[in-house]
Amino acid sequence: MKCVNCGAVIPRGRIYCPFCGMEIQIVPDYNPLDDVLTGEVRQSVRNATRPSRTDGVRNYHVDNSERYAYSSGMSTEKGFGQTHSRAYRERKMQSSEKTGQDHEQNKKLNRGNDHKRRRKAKQRRLAKMRRQRRMIILVITLFAVVCIGSIVYLNSYAGQIRKGNKALLSSDYAKAEQYFTKASKKDRKRPEAYEGLAKICQKKEDMEGAENVFLSAIAVQPDNVKLYQAIIDFYLDTKQPKKVSEVLSDCRYEEVLESLKKYVTPKPEFDLLEGTYEEVQEVALTSKGNKIYYTMDGSDPDIYSQQYDAPILIDKEGETNIKAIAVNKNKIPSVVASKKYMIALPIEDAPSVSPSTGQYETATEIKIVVPEGYTAYYTMDGTDPSAPASNPTKYEGPITMPEGQTLFSAVLKKNDSEKYTQVTKRNYVYSSEAD
């Protein structure tokens, strides 16, 4: 411990400084500035023992001695001088002894501090070595993990897809097919492998083969939404939107249809059942919220066909085949809806021909009653006017009965149809001599 007043080292157990007499202030045993203060103490000790400073020390102690003398009851100058000299010598001897002891204590302290510093330095080196070892182990572990992860990834589904795409870009279709096939075996539910195989077919301009890749997978997994989405993307990319509804129309899983509802377009509905009708008919088509396109010649409609905006009139005899599609807001056409209608209007009875069969003495006009929508044909040699080989004559108006016997036959043919009525026959005999 050091005196806070003069800086001298104070032996343990003392409560006053032996040099200046200052009361000791208790301070902690350890001070971070011990090394610096130790040097200063050594310098102070050397300065205290130098002759040049003896007077100063002596005067200092004399002043203190006088103060102590007065306080102890010394009153004579002689007694004071003798007491002062003896006390001074005793203090000087004690000071020398204390100084030696202090040097030894300082050496011990310095040795202890050096030992502590060396021990701390060693601990720091060991800690640094441990950190370096941990870092090396960590780096090696990370390297091993990366290597193992790379190997696992390259042999995984994603790794096979990556290698397949790389081979596809370099036009190595054999390797690409090998990688994609291997990936499909690792996970048959994911669509990327099938998309890769389809792209290979597209590169080879085999569109049917590309389509069959998806259809074959869907046949095995009819409830796989991702596969349906993949084939829909394929159809849209290859400008085949009408096939979207075709593939979805075969799906029987509500979960799939609900997930892909934006591609689902219900086909149009007809309000008139198929069948044969004896009069003109109208057909109404409906498809909620969708546009409708139709044809009446039996061809498949598309977005360039006649757009439906009013009921369709069927006014021609014979068969009429109406085909229609609906197109939703995403421009996905429905499958084709088709209905056939037969219009068979009633045929008139055999035509009315006048005059009736008989002998006539005057020239008489032969007339045929022709209903609206019909054309009359006739022959005058008894042949059937409905047979093309008979070369019938078209009725344009009344016919003058020829002289002699006439086997007159008449028939009606419905316009825009090949249907004929029954034949009406008349046997006329006209003789002008009878007149």
Side-chain angles (χ1 to χ4, degrees), residues 316-339:
K316 293 182 179 181
E317 275 196 295
E319 184 179 82
T320 299
N321 185 4
I322 299 178
K323 291 186 175 182
I325 60 170
V327 180
N328 67 10
K329 61 182 180 181
N330 294 312
K331 298 183 178 181
I332 304 298
S334 69
V335 296
V336 176
S338 177
K339 297 286 185 182

Side-chain angles (χ1 to χ4, degrees), residues 38-304:
T38 299
E40 292 181 357
V41 169
R42 289 177 179 174
Q43 184 64 32
S44 299
V45 171
R46 284 195 296 269
N47 293 337
T49 56
R50 288 166 58 183
S52 60
R53 298 193 61 180
T54 303
D55 295 339
V57 173
R58 180 182 299 112
N59 293 334
Y60 175 79
H61 286 293
V62 167
D63 294 339
N64 286 327
S65 298
E66 290 177 354
R67 184 169 62 252
Y68 296 150
Y70 286 119
S71 63
S72 60
M74 294 181 183
S75 58
T76 62
E77 294 182 359
K78 181 177 180 179
F80 172 76
Q82 291 176 352
T83 303
H84 170 72
S85 298
R86 187 167 55 253
Y88 173 75
R89 286 193 298 270
E90 289 177 356
R91 283 196 301 272
K92 186 174 182 180
M93 290 178 65
Q94 291 176 357
S95 177
S96 298
E97 292 176 357
K98 300 301 182 181
T99 300
Q101 293 175 359
D102 292 340
H103 279 300
E104 291 298 326
Q105 290 179 357
N106 289 335
K107 287 181 180 180
K108 290 181 180 180
L109 290 173
N110 290 335
R111 284 196 297 270
N113 291 334
D114 291 341
H115 178 70
K116 289 180 180 180
R117 285 193 294 272
R118 287 195 297 270
R119 185 174 60 185
K120 290 181 179 180
K122 183 177 180 180
Q123 290 175 348
R124 287 194 294 271
R125 287 195 300 272
L126 291 174
K128 184 177 181 181
M129 290 175 65
R130 285 194 294 269
R131 287 195 299 271
Q132 290 176 344
R133 283 196 297 270
R134 286 195 294 267
M135 185 61 68
I136 292 171
I137 293 172
L138 179 61
V139 170
I140 293 173
T141 302
L142 289 176
F143 180 76
V145 169
V146 170
C147 291
I148 295 172
S150 298
I151 294 173
V152 172
Y153 172 76
L154 291 175
N155 287 283
S156 66
Y157 180 89
Q160 295 297 318
I161 294 297
R162 181 175 179 275
K163 290 190 287 187
N165 287 328
K166 186 175 181 180
L168 186 61
L169 289 175
S170 61
S171 299
D172 191 348
Y173 301 138
K175 280 190 176 179
E177 184 176 0
Q178 178 182 353
Y179 291 134
F180 289 135
T181 302
K182 187 175 181 181
S184 66
K185 292 179 180 179
K186 285 182 175 292
D187 191 342
R188 66 188 184 91
K189 292 186 178 181
R190 297 176 65 177
E192 293 85 0
Y194 305 106
E195 291 173 343
L197 292 171
K199 287 178 182 178
I200 295 174
C201 294
Q202 289 179 260
K203 293 289 185 181
K204 296 179 179 180
E205 299 183 354
D206 182 9
M207 301 304 292
E208 184 177 355
E211 182 180 14
N212 286 333
V213 168
F214 296 111
L215 293 178
S216 299
I218 288 175
V220 179
Q221 306 174 62
D223 59 343
N224 191 325
V225 176
K226 292 182 179 179
L227 288 181
Y228 276 99
Q229 183 66 64
I231 195 172
I232 288 172
D233 293 339
F234 166 75
Y235 285 141
L236 296 180
D237 291 341
T238 56
K239 311 300 181 184
Q240 303 180 80
K242 67 179 183 179
K243 288 192 174 182
V244 173
S245 292
E246 291 178 7
V247 72
L248 290 176
S249 65
D250 294 332
C251 180
R252 297 294 178 266
Y253 289 86
E254 291 297 330
E255 298 83 357
V256 174
L257 297 176
E258 179 63 25
S259 298
L260 303 173
K261 60 183 179 182
K262 70 177 181 179
Y263 301 107
V264 176
T265 307
K267 63 183 181 180
E269 295 181 358
F270 292 67
D271 72 338
L272 183 65
L273 297 176
E274 285 185 321
T276 301
Y277 297 88
E278 293 184 349
E279 56 187 23
V280 174
Q281 299 291 322
E282 281 188 345
V283 180
L285 306 178
T286 56
S287 181
K288 187 176 180 180
N290 301 318
K291 294 181 179 180
I292 299 175
Y293 301 88
Y294 70 95
T295 61
M296 298 180 67
D297 58 0
S299 62
D300 287 341
D302 54 29
I303 59 174
Y304 302 105

